[in-house]
């Protein structure tokens, strides 16, 4: 195993031959386990606990890193003085291995739109491990844990440094059995969308933003926050403005989806 690279595999107790494959390649793994867990975010947290490197990312079993991605990330990290987040392009590809979409986390060159429209491109995002540990991962999020993490990164941490690259760092598989594929046509009622509403609700409460709370109530959002607790932190005026802008884009997405459903 490369001393500068840790490959950690957290398997949820698969019975499809995964364990046999892990045993076969165990010499290349820093750590692996196969046991029942409480969902994807719980598995990611298990991996984070075992991680000793300075940079952390997770890749789901149906996706893949692009060729040379880790080398590119390590060079950026060294050359740009240890950024807190390295974000690159991703490709989406289908079951016929055809490229169907090219995405970048720096969505329209606007962080508030990236947050508001939930365009995280998570496989192409490499966080500094210590910063993730400061804000944690929310195990109550089963679909939008990457969105929740990006909100925490932007709204709870101080003096974050992000390095963007136009290199493709990961490839995201689109297929009918993925959680994204199961979202269906009615996005407004999807589990993804509902979790994103909870994220906005939590930060509206944290910022004590009365106007944002009223806007969210129009979507029928139940303002409950116990499951999303983080240590209280003083949030700057700039971060409050960022949140308000992000919420407006989220509401715009909701409006567009509603008009689309009405038109149908």
């Amino acid at each position: 195993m490369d001393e500068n690279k840790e490959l950690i595999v957290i398997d949820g107790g698969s019975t499809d031959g995964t364990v046999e494959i892990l045993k076969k390649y165990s010499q290349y793994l820093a750590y692996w386990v196969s046991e029942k867990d409480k969902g994807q975010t719980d598995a990611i947290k298990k991996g984070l606990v075992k991680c000793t490197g300075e940079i952390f990312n997770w890749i789901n079993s149906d996706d893949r890193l692009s060729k040379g991605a880790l080398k590119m990330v390590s060079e950026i990290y060294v050359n740009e003085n240890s950024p807190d987040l390295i974000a690159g392009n991703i490709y989406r590809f289908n079951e016929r291995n055809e490229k169907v979409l090219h995405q970048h986390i720096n969505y329209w060159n606007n962080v508030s739109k990236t947050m508001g429209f939930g365009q995280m491109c998570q496989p192409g995002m490499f966080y500094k491990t210590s910063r993730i540990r400061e804000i944690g991962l929310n195990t109550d999020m089963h679909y939008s844990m990457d969105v929740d993490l990006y909100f925490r990164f932007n709204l709870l941490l101080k003096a974050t440094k992000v390095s963007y690259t136009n290199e493709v760092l990961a490839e995201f598989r689109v297929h009918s059995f993925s959680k994204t594929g199961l979202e269906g046509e009615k996005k407004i009622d999807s589990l993804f969308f509902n979790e994103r509403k909870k994220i906005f609700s939590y930060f509206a409460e944290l910022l004590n933003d009365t106007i944002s709370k009223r806007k969210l109530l129009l979507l029928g959002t139940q303002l409950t926050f116990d499951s999303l607790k983080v240590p209280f932190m003083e949030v700057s005026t700039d971060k409050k403005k960022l949140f308000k802008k992000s919420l407006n884009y989220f509401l715009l997405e909701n409006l567009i989806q509603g008009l689309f459903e009405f038109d149908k």
Side-chain angles (χ1 to χ4, degrees):
M1 184 180 68
D2 187 335
E3 63 180 8
N4 292 318
K5 176 178 64 182
E6 285 182 319
L7 180 58
I8 296 168
V9 180
I10 309 295
D11 176 62
S14 298
T15 57
D16 58 358
T18 296
V19 172
E20 288 69 25
I21 295 173
L22 292 173
K23 288 178 179 178
K24 180 179 179 180
Y25 293 99
S26 61
Q27 62 179 312
Y28 303 107
L29 305 178
Y31 175 82
W32 72 270
V33 67
S34 180
E35 62 186 16
K36 188 174 181 180
D37 54 45
K38 298 176 183 177
Q40 182 182 354
T41 314
D42 182 47
I44 296 167
K45 287 187 72 172
K46 287 182 181 180
L48 181 61
V49 168
K50 296 294 181 179
C51 178
T52 64
E54 293 184 50
I55 309 169
F56 177 85
N57 192 11
W58 70 88
I59 192 84
N60 298 323
S61 58
D62 49 354
D63 305 326
R64 62 197 184 198
L65 294 176
S66 61
K67 186 176 181 180
L70 297 182
K71 183 174 185 294
M72 287 186 279
V73 169
S74 64
E75 288 176 349
I76 293 170
Y77 189 75
V78 171
N79 295 334
E80 299 194 16
N81 195 26
S82 309
D84 299 300
L85 171 62
I86 298 169
N89 292 8
I90 70 164
Y91 284 139
R92 291 178 182 260
F93 65 100
N94 61 21
E95 293 165 319
R96 296 183 297 278
N97 211 34
E98 298 169 333
K99 201 178 296 179
V100 294
L101 187 63
H102 184 186
Q103 281 185 287
H104 196 293
I105 184 183
N106 198 13
Y107 195 56
W108 293 336
N109 300 312
N110 188 307
V111 173
S112 59
K113 286 183 181 178
T114 303
M115 294 170 64
F117 291 142
Q119 298 290 330
M120 302 299 107
C121 303
Q122 175 273 314
M125 299 170 66
F126 292 77
Y127 288 92
K128 183 181 284 187
T129 310
S130 59
R131 302 314 304 262
I132 289 188
R133 286 178 172 147
E134 283 184 61
I135 51 180
L137 288 161
N138 180 13
T139 53
D140 288 330
M141 291 284 152
H142 299 292
Y143 298 88
S144 300
M145 72 291 290
D146 52 344
V147 179
D148 181 76
L149 177 60
Y150 192 62
F151 267 68
R152 290 166 182 248
F153 178 84
N154 281 294
L155 297 176
L156 299 180
L157 291 179
K158 296 181 179 179
T160 54
K161 178 182 177 182
V162 180
S163 292
Y164 298 104
T165 175
N166 285 321
E167 299 290 344
V168 175
L169 299 180
E171 298 170 9
F172 182 88
R173 189 188 308 268
V174 179
H175 59 92
S176 57
F177 294 101
S178 69
K179 286 195 291 189
T180 306
L182 292 173
E183 188 177 4
E185 293 184 1
K186 294 185 177 180
K187 185 176 181 181
I188 194 170
D189 296 323
S190 72
L191 292 168
F192 287 95
F193 204 67
N194 287 333
E195 285 196 348
R196 287 171 60 206
K197 285 196 289 186
K198 289 181 181 180
I199 294 167
F200 276 102
S201 297
Y202 168 70
F203 280 99
E205 178 71 11
L206 181 67
L207 301 175
N208 194 26
D209 186 340
T210 303
I211 294 176
S212 292
K213 290 180 190 178
R214 289 175 180 171
K215 289 179 179 179
L216 285 161
L217 284 172
L218 294 175
L219 301 180
T221 306
Q222 296 297 316
L223 300 178
T224 56
F225 314 101
D226 290 344
S227 63
L228 295 171
K229 283 182 179 177
V230 295
F232 175 77
M233 301 176 71
E234 191 67 35
V235 182
S236 68
T237 301
D238 287 343
K239 291 185 182 294
K240 290 179 181 179
K241 289 181 179 178
L242 174 61
F243 173 76
K244 289 175 183 289
K245 288 182 180 179
S246 301
L247 176 58
N248 285 337
Y249 285 119
F250 179 67
L251 295 171
L252 175 61
E253 178 187 8
N254 181 79
L255 175 62
I256 292 171
Q257 183 66 26
L259 290 172
F260 175 73
E261 292 296 322
F262 179 78
D263 187 56
K264 284 202 301 183

